[in-house]
Amino acid sequence: MLTMPAESDDARLVAAARSGNPDAFETLVRRHGGKVYRVALRLVGDPTDAEDATQDTFVQAWRHLERFRGDSAFSTWLYRIVVNRCLRLLRDRPSTAPLVELPAPAIADPQRAVEVGSQLEAVSRAVLALPFERRAPLVLRELEGCTYEEIADALEISLPAVKGRLHRARRELLTALRGWT
Amino acid sequence: MNERLPCGADMDALVEQVADGDERLRSPHQEICVHCQTALEELARAWAPVSALAGSEAALPERVVHRIMRRIWRAAAAGWHTVAVTARGKTTISDWVVGLIAEGAAREVEAVHLIGGSLAHVAQALRSRRPGSPPPPHSPRGLAAEIGPQQATVEIALTAVYGPGLLDVAEAVRRTVAVRVEQMTGLEVVEVDVTVEDLHVER
């Protein structure tokens, strides 16, 4: 079977969706939904809020598909939307306490699984404790593996700003993590 | 802030090296420097949970995909309704917009946690009036707003929070949706069907 590079395939699906084909859009939702949801989860903490932000991200993407010009990857465009949704959500609901829920890691040894589980929870909390402007680049870089250019594009900031914020976020995160070990 | 090791190495640079996953790509100095090696190992240990978190896959729950697609189908099939005609022009509102107003209104109700909606229902209702058009492929659940000449009926699906009586929640949603839709569009809301499809339990 012929496999297409994901990006050109995305462009084809976006074009189909833009002409009013929700099925094409559903393929995009299934392909990129996990990424968007993970970013939202790391940015807002609460799984229900993250679901909410993910829903809104895709609905907004659908409504503004004509604004997607294709000079960045579709996933980068989605990151831009979801980061903004999360920022708004946190501003609207400042009182919501972050609630971290993580999928159980696939580790056979139960003792070790508990250890790793609490470690993951600890690092999630440390990420959530970062100020939003540094949390966003950190999540995109360390958890989603975006390039600096993609982060600059998604956050609409300059490359030096990405590097500066990311560096500070890494130091802050390491300080927090070293405090626990 | 610019912490330095006894050998003069910049701690910040080591942080970057570890975070970029390059702690094993050591410089000639690092190959022989015990300070750098100790620091790199310690940083790598501290950083390990971050890499572990990156590897822990949180998938988008299927029900969220369904909620998204319900809303997309609703948007794709939204009909247009002229709600006012004056000498200076007419005002037309999409039932997608009425749906958004209903969503916003329902979110105002404290016990409502999440809205799941779709115009699929309306699409079906509208399309069934047009002979020859195929039925929408998605199940008609969720939120729909159907506007008659001067009246609207709204269907809304939502997730409530654990605790309050669900009949009271539905009644509050009904009231708020009716008030907001009437305020914003002038349409009379004759019916609001509320479906409580999920419950959010705080841990």
Side-chain angles (χ1 to χ4, degrees):
Chain A
M1 200 185 124
L2 190 80
T3 51
M4 251 188 237
E7 274 184 32
S8 70
D9 192 34
D10 273 357
R12 192 178 56 80
L13 288 165
V14 168
R18 202 181 272 157
S19 68
N21 179 349
D23 285 323
F25 194 75
E26 182 166 349
T27 308
L28 290 167
V29 172
R30 291 186 182 282
R31 182 174 296 170
H32 298 288
K35 279 178 263 189
V36 171
Y37 175 63
R38 278 197 300 278
V39 168
L41 190 59
R42 301 307 171 213
L43 288 180
V44 301
D46 175 62
T48 316
D49 283 346
E51 288 177 14
D52 213 359
T54 306
Q55 268 195 63
D56 288 347
T57 296
F58 280 106
V59 172
Q60 199 179 332
W62 167 266
R63 292 173 63 204
H64 298 304
L65 269 180
E66 75 283 356
R67 288 192 203 161
F68 173 66
R69 302 195 170 279
D71 31 318
S72 63
F74 187 63
S75 56
T76 310
W77 190 60
L78 290 173
Y79 285 143
R80 188 185 303 171
I81 301 175
V82 73
V83 168
N84 283 323
R85 297 300 313 185
C86 289
L87 185 59
R88 263 177 65 178
L89 201 135
L90 291 172
R91 277 182 187 156
D92 291 351
R93 299 184 195 173
S95 57
T96 306
L99 222 157
V100 182
E101 197 178 311
L102 291 160
I107 293 169
D109 176 8
Q111 177 66 43
R112 173 104 181 95
V114 168
E115 236 169 71
V116 170
S118 66
Q119 242 183 9
L120 288 183
E121 196 168 310
V123 71
S124 297
R125 283 185 202 288
V127 169
L128 282 169
L130 295 171
F132 194 87
E133 67 155 41
R134 297 199 282 284
R135 197 187 319 156
L138 186 109
V139 165
L140 292 176
R141 173 71 198 154
E142 312 302 350
L143 304 180
E144 292 302 316
C146 292
T147 64
Y148 288 17
E149 287 76 11
E150 284 167 343
I151 298 169
D153 203 359
L155 301 182
E156 298 173 281
I157 56 176
S158 70
L159 212 50
V162 172
K163 287 181 181 164
R165 288 184 198 185
L166 191 55
H167 181 63
R168 208 170 144 196
R170 284 167 162 179
R171 267 194 326 220
E172 287 168 334
L173 186 57
L174 264 173
T175 307
L177 292 173
R178 286 162 93 189
W180 282 318
T181 48
Chain B
M1 260 296 180
N2 235 353
E3 198 186 331
R4 287 195 180 271
L5 294 178
C7 64
D10 184 356
M11 200 59 182
D12 278 359
L14 298 186
V15 167
E16 293 295 280
Q17 190 177 344
V18 168
D20 280 331
D22 295 338
E23 81 266 13
R24 294 190 186 286
L25 300 173
R26 296 189 177 172
S27 68
H29 165 75
Q30 289 171 350
E31 290 287 1
I32 54 162
C33 174
V34 68
H35 301 293
C36 284
Q37 288 170 7
T38 309
L40 282 170
E41 276 158 26
E42 200 231 326
L43 288 172
R45 231 184 350 264
W47 193 254
V50 181
S51 312
L53 186 65
S56 75
E57 290 285 303
L60 182 64
E62 187 62 23
R63 67 176 188 286
V64 181
V65 175
H66 284 295
R67 282 193 188 123
I68 291 167
M69 290 316 298
R70 283 209 307 254
R71 293 174 69 185
I72 300 304
W73 278 102
R74 181 179 62 137
W80 298 88
H81 306 276
T82 298
V83 291
V85 183
T86 71
R88 292 190 299 137
K90 63 179 180 177
T91 305
T92 303
I93 298 180
S94 161
D95 45 22
W96 156 252
V97 170
V98 179
L100 285 179
I101 296 169
E103 275 182 34
R107 276 181 217 261
E108 286 181 40
V109 177
E110 220 167 280
V112 171
H113 200 78
L114 201 67
I115 308 293
S118 165
L119 195 69
H121 198 69
V122 163
Q124 197 174 43
L126 293 173
R127 283 180 189 185
S128 66
R129 286 191 224 119
R130 286 187 218 128
S133 58
H138 281 250
S139 67
R141 281 206 304 142
L143 185 150
E146 182 183 339
I147 310 172
Q150 296 298 325
Q151 291 181 329
T153 66
V154 175
E155 285 185 26
I156 191 157
L158 53 88
T159 301
V161 298
Y162 178 84
L166 297 180
L167 293 180
D168 296 336
V169 174
E171 203 41 53
V173 167
R174 207 163 272 132
R175 224 172 19 241
T176 315
V177 166
V179 168
R180 289 286 177 257
V181 170
E182 290 184 24
Q183 273 176 348
M184 291 183 68
T185 65
L187 293 164
E188 183 199 355
V189 179
V190 291
E191 200 177 306
V192 181
D193 289 332
V194 179
T195 308
V196 182
E197 59 172 22
D198 206 352
L199 204 61
H200 177 70
V201 183
E202 286 283 350
R203 289 195 312 162

